[in-house]
Amino acid sequence: MAGVKNRPVYAIESVDNALLLTQLLVLEGPLRVTEAAARLGVSPSTAHRLLGMLVYRDFAEQGPDKRYRAGSALGGAVGSEAPVAVLRRVGRPHLEQLVRATQESANLMVLSGAEVRFVETVECTQILRVGDRAGKALPAHRASAGKAMMAVLDADTRDPLIAALDVEEQASLRRELPQIRRNGFAINNQRTETGLTALGMAVTTADARVVAGISLALPTVRFRKDRVPGWVREMRTCVTGIAADLDRATAGTLAEGEEAL
């Protein structure tokens, strides 16, 4: 059974930053030094040194446009803006609006096999809050957005994910998913981290593809059942906005490609 991944007590910050930067190059595509620095929360000089080391070990390469791309050790350079980069760019304004409306932290994530991977976090300003999860991964069957996405996946995609779990987890998930599908959202009450409760919802496009999920994450001490309808209403506005903008962004990319042809 997959467990929750905790940060090692002996974690080395520079190594962690280099690994996260490697993930960003794969998931999000080409990055400038200043963009890498902003994503890592470090100075441009630090980001430049990290990228230089990745280039030295073939995990990155720098193109003529001065942007860094995934290198040969990661399967080659990415030639255009990656889907996750588009998702982040489109999704962040809607996450920010969700945070303003709820005063809780919000996350954007994608399904990656049996895990959900956080690609963007907007933190609220409350002193006690859920922090940045960008780059982290959690078991999809425990995370709120993971369950919300699994609930609306087609059976051919969903069933192998469920079958990989142990018998107890399978039975629990099979009981939950129909209700999640009816309600349109899922709740993770301290299943992934003690003291953290989250509501999750899937983002689907006009052609019913599951492209992402969002979660509203808050300290369990602030969770109240009577506030759930209001939170869900704001989350629906968020996923609807992301889906609409993502459809437009995708249509625009296709139109540019057709024009180039």
Side-chain angles (χ1 to χ4, degrees), residues 21 88 126:
L21 188 50
R88 280 190 63 250
Q126 301 205 60

Side-chain angles (χ1 to χ4, degrees), residues 238-257:
C238 180
V239 298
T240 300
I242 292 174
D245 285 352
L246 198 57
D247 281 335
R248 281 192 287 269
T250 303
T253 300
L254 290 174
E256 289 174 9

